[in-house]
Amino acid sequence: MKKISLALLLTLYGLVASAQTAPSKGADWEKKLFNSEYALPILIETALANAPELENADAARLASMEQRKIIRKNFYSGFSINSSYTYGSMNNWNTNGEPVNSFNAFDAPLRARYTMGLSMSLPLGQLLSRHNTIKNQDLAVIQAEGSKKLTEKAVRMRVINLYQNLKMAKNQLELQQQAYQTAVVSQEIAKKQFKSGEIMIDAMSNVQQAHTSAATALQTAKVNYETQLLMMEETIGTRLIDLIQSK
């Protein structure tokens, strides 16, 4: 009869412990965080805004666009404007409109002359390949834009994976909390049974080992959960509690 009573007592303690130590509903921000329909779009948006890969992708796209402008303007590098200004004795015209030609420079009148002209020198190969060069740079711009889209997709997938790992770590932590509390209750009951001589040393040792294993598993679950939190916060660039509460 005593064994039956102890078994019933152990069961009762286990039920009470589970009821008392069941994971709390948590704060409002935690409820929102683990509501994927609400939290996941916010996390992805924040991560995209914080991703250094996207900054590099934007810079590469802008650099390609600027290079395209440079290539288009290179056509005009073959054109040049020339001007000159001279002053002194030279073959000129006298006041009667007749040319004055003299081998003696001192006999010629002094006058100023300013000339200006436009010249062009463009290699034929450069001229013929200009369209291809511009087209090639247009493709480089398209490639840079595509690279940015791939980067955005990679960031989204990383956030989704981190979020799923975070939820799994949360569930594991809650289960280990329950298991640990059950082990604590079982240990207390076993101690009373051991003192009263109802169980032997080997049974007590097994209970102690179960308690130690539950405590170790609980600490491992806590560390894993904290790690997942930190990894998510590193990705989004802010604390989760601050982000969720600000929305």
Side-chain angles (χ1 to χ4, degrees), residues 179-180 183-184 186-187 204-216:
Y180 175 73
V184 169
S186 298
Q187 184 184 51
M204 185 64 198
S205 177
N206 290 336
V207 173
Q208 292 283 10
Q209 290 179 2
H211 177 271
T212 301
S213 298
T216 302

Side-chain angles (χ1 to χ4, degrees), residues 44-45 47 52 55 72 99 101-102 108 121 134 151 155 167 181 211 217 224 229 242:
I44 291 176
E45 179 184 0
E55 293 182 5
R72 288 182 176 276
N101 296 311
S102 175
S121 176
I134 294 175
T151 303
V155 172
K167 291 181 67 175
Q181 292 298 327
H211 177 271
N224 183 45
L229 279 174
D242 295 336

Side-chain angles (χ1 to χ4, degrees), residues 101-130:
N101 296 311
S102 175
F103 292 102
N104 187 349
F106 295 99
D107 292 339
L110 299 177
R111 291 192 62 180
R113 176 177 293 178
Y114 178 80
T115 59
M116 183 178 68
L118 176 67
S119 63
M120 183 189 75
S121 176
L122 191 65
L124 184 60
Q126 180 179 346
L127 180 62
L128 294 177
S129 63
R130 180 173 182 268

Side-chain angles (χ1 to χ4, degrees), residues 1-239:
M1 184 66 182
K2 182 179 290 186
K3 292 182 178 179
I4 296 176
S5 299
L6 288 174
L8 291 174
L9 181 61
L10 179 60
T11 304
L12 179 61
Y13 266 91
L15 293 174
V16 172
S18 298
Q20 289 179 345
T21 61
S24 61
K25 294 183 178 179
D28 289 339
W29 78 272
E30 289 180 311
K31 296 178 184 178
K32 293 180 179 179
L33 175 62
F34 292 103
N35 179 0
S36 58
E37 293 183 358
Y38 172 82
L40 196 54
I42 297 175
L43 294 174
I44 291 176
E45 179 184 0
T46 308
L48 289 174
N50 183 63
E53 306 98 310
L54 285 178
E55 293 182 5
N56 292 336
D58 278 331
R61 183 177 63 86
L62 292 175
S64 297
M65 295 175 66
E66 292 300 319
Q67 184 63 28
R68 180 174 58 183
K69 294 178 182 178
I70 293 173
I71 291 174
R72 288 182 176 276
K73 293 178 181 179
N74 277 343
F75 174 77
Y76 301 100
S77 62
F79 292 86
S80 62
I81 298 177
N82 304 311
S83 63
S84 64
Y85 176 84
T86 57
Y87 178 82
S89 59
M90 63 191 75
N91 290 339
N92 216 319
W93 301 86
N94 58 21
T95 55
N96 297 325
E98 298 176 351
V100 177
N101 296 311
S102 175
F103 292 102
N104 187 349
F106 295 99
D107 292 339
L110 299 177
R111 291 192 62 180
R113 176 177 293 178
Y114 178 80
T115 59
M116 183 178 68
L118 176 67
S119 63
M120 183 189 75
S121 176
L122 191 65
L124 184 60
Q126 180 179 346
L127 180 62
L128 294 177
S129 63
R130 180 173 182 268
H131 173 75
N132 304 98
T133 304
I134 294 175
K135 183 63 177 179
N136 183 66
Q137 192 58 38
D138 289 340
L139 294 175
V141 174
I142 295 174
Q143 185 178 24
E145 293 174 347
S147 177
K148 180 182 178 181
K149 292 180 180 179
L150 290 175
T151 303
E152 290 176 347
K153 183 176 181 179
V155 172
R156 285 194 294 268
M157 292 302 298
R158 183 164 71 246
V159 172
I160 291 173
N161 289 332
L162 287 173
Y163 185 73
Q164 296 299 334
N165 292 339
L166 180 61
K167 291 181 67 175
M168 184 178 297
K170 176 67 172 177
N171 293 334
Q172 290 176 346
L173 177 59
E174 292 173 349
L175 291 174
Q176 292 302 329
Q177 287 172 339
Q178 294 181 32
Y180 175 73
Q181 292 298 327
T182 300
V184 169
V185 173
S186 298
Q187 184 184 51
E188 292 300 320
I189 295 175
K191 285 180 179 179
K192 294 179 180 179
Q193 291 177 328
F194 182 72
K195 288 180 180 180
S196 64
E198 298 173 14
I199 61 173
M200 302 302 291
I201 185 67
D202 56 343
M204 185 64 198
S205 177
N206 290 336
V207 173
Q208 292 283 10
Q209 290 179 2
H211 177 271
T212 301
S213 298
T216 302
L218 177 59
Q219 291 301 318
T220 302
K222 286 182 178 179
V223 171
N224 183 45
Y225 179 63
E226 291 174 357
T227 301
Q228 297 301 325
L229 279 174
L230 292 174
M231 291 178 63
M232 179 63 79
E233 290 179 345
E234 178 65 23
T235 300
I236 64 177
T238 185
R239 294 201 310 163

